[in-house]
Amino acid sequence: MSEEKELISSSIPKHEVPDRKGFLPINANKFDRVFISIVLLVAIHLLWMRFLEAFLPIEIATAISVVLSIFIIWKG
Amino acid sequence: MRRTRTGWLLLSPTLIIMFIFGLFPFIYVLLVGFNDWNPFSARDGLTYIGVDNYRNLVFDNLFLNALGVTIRFTFFAVLSELIIGFLLANLLARDFFGKTLFRIVHTVPLMIAPIAVGAIWRLMTIPGFGPIPYFLDRWFDVSFNIGTSSDQAFLSILIMDIWHWTPFVTLTMLAGLTALPREPVEAAQVDGANRWQIFRHITLPLMRPVILTTVFIRVMDALRTVDEINMLTNGGGPGTSTRTLGIHIFRVVFPQTDYGYGSAMSLLTLYLTIVACWLLFVSLTQVRRNN
């Protein structure tokens, strides 16, 4: 098993970030997860401003986005 | 260490050019998007207003209408080009009389500049002057006027885009079809598969990466179409029925000189384009990995 892992890690070039299978439905590396977090952050803020800002302040959207981003980067 | 330094040295001209023409304008637009800036207003210079431009944007009916027009246009144009292009590529993969002439004539629209394409189609659709309204009226008794009918105007920009870009799809599909291995098809023929089964279970799965790459390129292009539509419908008319995001941004930034709001719109358009392309890219790479 360790030999197999070694073989896989040696086949990945040093400059490439290895993929990981988390709860996201795709094989995502660290860059992908950061990218998805930013995309969701922007989308949540825009949708919040359109539909919810009249009732709830935008800071809640920021808090949700930050928590979601950390979760995606950590476990995604 | 020495090799790394040489690598960076060789890369530096590209990186400098990318920073000046790519990254710097992006950062500049990002900063302007958070400011109110109209050089001809009473207030001089940039005034920081936070996310107010984006707040106005999500309630701006003109912008949302332009977004809807752009999405509809992209969906129908790319889908039509894909279907027609694939059929034509299958046709061109076979031998028939006049194939070379057909291929040359079919590729001609690709060589024409988009602004000229818009001008040609405008000349062809002017009521009382262009051949399209004339023949539609004479043969089918249909009144065709893209200056008054929004449906006809939208249909015209769709047909123009399909006419202009289908040859590109055909060429990429043809390249994909001619590069396909013969063995799986021959094996299927030996096993008694009919033409539809071969197409459905062999040709289409093998062509999937080519199709996705073509869609990727065409979606990016269609989302930022400005010049030919602007030329054909005189700035997205009648009303705002053919006003795409590119035309809308142009009208806000240049005639109204609202640079802050225009920057916010540009950034949001860039965001939507990147998201759409990333989704396509992920589907493309995941398919390649699975294969």
Side-chain angles (χ1 to χ4, degrees), chain B residues 3 63 92 97 120 133-134 150 158 166 172 177-178 187-188 192 200 214-215 223 225 244 267 287 290-291:
Chain B
R3 275 182 63 190
F63 175 78
L92 285 171
F97 178 73
I120 291 166
Y134 174 77
S150 46
L158 264 183
T166 300
T172 52
L177 280 174
T178 46
R200 169 77 185 79
T214 311
V215 172
L223 282 171
T225 308
T244 55
L267 269 180
V287 164
N290 292 343
N291 284 346

Short mmCIF file of all heavy atoms in Angstrom, two decimals, chain B residues 3 63 92 97 120 133-134 150 158 166 172 177-178 187-188 192 200 214-215 223 225 244 267 287 290-291:
data_model
loop_
_atom_site.label_atom_id
_atom_site.label_comp_id
_atom_site.label_asym_id
_atom_site.label_seq_id
_atom_site.Cartn_x
_atom_site.Cartn_y
_atom_site.Cartn_z
N ARG B 3 18.66 26.43 -12.85
CA ARG B 3 17.62 26.13 -13.84
C ARG B 3 16.35 26.92 -13.56
O ARG B 3 15.69 27.41 -14.44
CB ARG B 3 17.30 24.63 -13.84
CG ARG B 3 18.26 23.83 -14.71
CD ARG B 3 17.88 22.38 -14.69
NE ARG B 3 16.56 22.15 -15.26
CZ ARG B 3 15.91 21.00 -15.19
NH1 ARG B 3 16.45 19.99 -14.56
NH2 ARG B 3 14.72 20.86 -15.74
N PHE B 63 -30.21 45.84 -16.89
CA PHE B 63 -29.08 44.91 -16.82
C PHE B 63 -29.58 43.46 -16.78
O PHE B 63 -29.05 42.60 -17.49
CB PHE B 63 -28.24 45.20 -15.57
CG PHE B 63 -27.13 44.20 -15.36
CD1 PHE B 63 -25.97 44.26 -16.09
CD2 PHE B 63 -27.27 43.19 -14.41
CE1 PHE B 63 -24.96 43.33 -15.92
CE2 PHE B 63 -26.26 42.25 -14.23
CZ PHE B 63 -25.10 42.32 -14.98
N LEU B 92 -19.24 16.23 -44.57
CA LEU B 92 -17.94 16.51 -45.19
C LEU B 92 -16.94 15.38 -44.98
O LEU B 92 -15.91 15.33 -45.66
CB LEU B 92 -17.37 17.82 -44.63
CG LEU B 92 -18.03 19.10 -45.15
CD1 LEU B 92 -17.54 20.31 -44.38
CD2 LEU B 92 -17.74 19.29 -46.63
N PHE B 97 -19.71 14.66 -54.93
CA PHE B 97 -19.33 15.57 -56.01
C PHE B 97 -19.39 17.03 -55.53
O PHE B 97 -20.38 17.44 -54.93
CB PHE B 97 -20.27 15.36 -57.22
CG PHE B 97 -19.99 16.30 -58.35
CD1 PHE B 97 -18.85 16.12 -59.15
CD2 PHE B 97 -20.82 17.38 -58.61
CE1 PHE B 97 -18.58 16.99 -60.19
CE2 PHE B 97 -20.55 18.25 -59.65
CZ PHE B 97 -19.42 18.05 -60.45
N ILE B 120 -23.50 43.37 -43.47
CA ILE B 120 -24.10 42.56 -44.55
C ILE B 120 -25.54 42.19 -44.19
O ILE B 120 -26.47 42.36 -44.98
CB ILE B 120 -23.26 41.28 -44.80
CG1 ILE B 120 -21.90 41.61 -45.41
CG2 ILE B 120 -24.02 40.31 -45.71
CD1 ILE B 120 -20.90 40.47 -45.37
N PRO B 133 -36.63 40.67 -46.44
CA PRO B 133 -38.04 41.11 -46.31
C PRO B 133 -38.81 41.03 -47.63
O PRO B 133 -39.99 40.67 -47.65
CB PRO B 133 -37.93 42.56 -45.83
CG PRO B 133 -36.57 42.72 -45.34
CD PRO B 133 -35.72 41.74 -46.07
N TYR B 134 -38.10 41.31 -48.73
CA TYR B 134 -38.75 41.30 -50.04
C TYR B 134 -39.27 39.91 -50.40
O TYR B 134 -40.44 39.73 -50.74
CB TYR B 134 -37.75 41.79 -51.11
CG TYR B 134 -38.26 41.69 -52.52
CD1 TYR B 134 -39.19 42.62 -53.00
CD2 TYR B 134 -37.84 40.66 -53.36
CE1 TYR B 134 -39.68 42.51 -54.30
CE2 TYR B 134 -38.32 40.55 -54.65
CZ TYR B 134 -39.24 41.47 -55.12
OH TYR B 134 -39.72 41.36 -56.39
N SER B 150 -39.64 42.56 -32.11
CA SER B 150 -38.52 42.09 -31.28
C SER B 150 -38.22 40.62 -31.53
O SER B 150 -37.06 40.21 -31.49
CB SER B 150 -38.81 42.35 -29.81
OG SER B 150 -40.09 41.95 -29.48
N LEU B 158 -29.80 35.64 -34.12
CA LEU B 158 -29.48 34.20 -33.95
C LEU B 158 -29.00 33.60 -35.27
O LEU B 158 -27.95 32.95 -35.32
CB LEU B 158 -30.72 33.44 -33.50
CG LEU B 158 -30.91 33.18 -32.02
CD1 LEU B 158 -32.15 32.35 -31.80
CD2 LEU B 158 -29.71 32.47 -31.43
N THR B 166 -21.06 28.66 -37.52
CA THR B 166 -21.20 27.21 -37.77
C THR B 166 -19.99 26.62 -38.49
O THR B 166 -19.56 25.50 -38.14
CB THR B 166 -22.51 26.93 -38.54
OG1 THR B 166 -23.59 27.40 -37.74
CG2 THR B 166 -22.70 25.44 -38.78
N THR B 172 -13.93 22.05 -36.47
CA THR B 172 -13.42 21.35 -35.28
C THR B 172 -14.00 19.93 -35.21
O THR B 172 -13.30 18.99 -34.88
CB THR B 172 -13.75 22.11 -33.99
OG1 THR B 172 -15.13 22.39 -33.96
CG2 THR B 172 -12.97 23.39 -33.86
N LEU B 177 -13.68 14.05 -36.08
CA LEU B 177 -14.20 12.85 -36.75
C LEU B 177 -13.10 12.12 -37.54
O LEU B 177 -13.02 10.90 -37.52
CB LEU B 177 -15.33 13.23 -37.71
CG LEU B 177 -16.71 13.46 -37.10
CD1 LEU B 177 -17.67 13.97 -38.15
CD2 LEU B 177 -17.26 12.18 -36.48
N THR B 178 -12.25 12.91 -38.23
CA THR B 178 -11.20 12.27 -39.04
C THR B 178 -10.11 11.65 -38.14
O THR B 178 -9.39 10.76 -38.59
CB THR B 178 -10.56 13.27 -40.01
OG1 THR B 178 -10.27 14.47 -39.30
CG2 THR B 178 -11.45 13.59 -41.18
N ALA B 187 -15.19 -3.11 -35.49
CA ALA B 187 -15.57 -4.19 -34.57
C ALA B 187 -17.09 -4.21 -34.37
O ALA B 187 -17.72 -5.28 -34.36
CB ALA B 187 -14.86 -4.01 -33.24
N ALA B 188 -17.67 -2.99 -34.26
CA ALA B 188 -19.13 -2.91 -34.08
C ALA B 188 -19.86 -3.39 -35.32
O ALA B 188 -20.90 -4.06 -35.23
CB ALA B 188 -19.52 -1.46 -33.76
N GLY B 192 -22.56 -6.60 -35.92
CA GLY B 192 -23.90 -6.40 -36.45
C GLY B 192 -24.61 -5.14 -35.99
O GLY B 192 -25.84 -5.04 -36.09
N ARG B 200 -24.46 6.29 -31.79
CA ARG B 200 -24.88 6.54 -30.40
C ARG B 200 -23.87 6.01 -29.38
O ARG B 200 -23.58 6.67 -28.39
CB ARG B 200 -26.27 5.89 -30.20
CG ARG B 200 -26.78 5.81 -28.78
CD ARG B 200 -27.29 7.15 -28.31
NE ARG B 200 -27.68 7.09 -26.90
CZ ARG B 200 -26.82 7.12 -25.89
NH1 ARG B 200 -25.53 7.20 -26.13
NH2 ARG B 200 -27.25 7.07 -24.64
N THR B 214 -15.37 22.47 -28.18
CA THR B 214 -16.01 23.40 -29.11
C THR B 214 -17.06 24.24 -28.39
O THR B 214 -17.13 25.46 -28.59
CB THR B 214 -16.67 22.61 -30.27
OG1 THR B 214 -15.73 21.69 -30.78
CG2 THR B 214 -17.13 23.52 -31.37
N VAL B 215 -17.86 23.58 -27.56
CA VAL B 215 -18.88 24.31 -26.80
C VAL B 215 -18.22 25.36 -25.91
O VAL B 215 -18.66 26.51 -25.81
CB VAL B 215 -19.74 23.34 -25.96
CG1 VAL B 215 -20.66 24.09 -25.02
CG2 VAL B 215 -20.57 22.43 -26.85
N LEU B 223 -20.98 34.77 -25.35
CA LEU B 223 -21.28 35.62 -24.19
C LEU B 223 -20.75 37.05 -24.35
O LEU B 223 -21.22 37.97 -23.69
CB LEU B 223 -20.70 35.00 -22.91
CG LEU B 223 -21.47 33.83 -22.31
CD1 LEU B 223 -20.68 33.17 -21.20
CD2 LEU B 223 -22.83 34.27 -21.76
N THR B 225 -20.44 38.66 -27.43
CA THR B 225 -20.73 39.20 -28.75
C THR B 225 -21.27 40.62 -28.63
O THR B 225 -22.18 40.87 -27.87
CB THR B 225 -21.79 38.33 -29.46
OG1 THR B 225 -21.37 36.98 -29.41
CG2 THR B 225 -21.99 38.74 -30.90
N THR B 244 -27.55 42.83 -25.70
CA THR B 244 -26.79 41.87 -24.90
C THR B 244 -25.97 42.62 -23.83
O THR B 244 -25.92 43.85 -23.85
CB THR B 244 -25.83 41.06 -25.79
OG1 THR B 244 -25.03 41.99 -26.51
CG2 THR B 244 -26.58 40.17 -26.76
N LEU B 267 -17.41 43.55 -14.37
CA LEU B 267 -16.91 42.52 -13.46
C LEU B 267 -17.91 41.40 -13.25
O LEU B 267 -17.56 40.22 -13.22
CB LEU B 267 -16.57 43.14 -12.10
CG LEU B 267 -15.14 43.62 -11.96
CD1 LEU B 267 -14.92 44.21 -10.59
CD2 LEU B 267 -14.15 42.48 -12.17
N VAL B 287 -14.65 14.21 -17.51
CA VAL B 287 -14.91 13.19 -18.53
C VAL B 287 -13.59 12.56 -18.97
O VAL B 287 -13.45 11.36 -19.06
CB VAL B 287 -15.64 13.83 -19.74
CG1 VAL B 287 -15.57 12.92 -20.96
CG2 VAL B 287 -17.08 14.06 -19.39
N ASN B 290 -12.38 10.29 -16.22
CA ASN B 290 -13.16 9.06 -16.16
C ASN B 290 -12.81 8.12 -17.31
O ASN B 290 -12.75 6.91 -17.13
CB ASN B 290 -14.66 9.38 -16.20
CG ASN B 290 -15.08 10.09 -14.92
OD1 ASN B 290 -14.37 10.06 -13.93
ND2 ASN B 290 -16.22 10.76 -14.97
N ASN B 291 -12.58 8.74 -18.51
CA ASN B 291 -12.21 7.91 -19.66
C ASN B 291 -10.86 7.22 -19.44
O ASN B 291 -10.60 6.15 -19.92
CB ASN B 291 -12.15 8.76 -20.94
CG ASN B 291 -13.55 9.06 -21.43
OD1 ASN B 291 -14.50 8.44 -20.98
ND2 ASN B 291 -13.68 10.01 -22.33
#
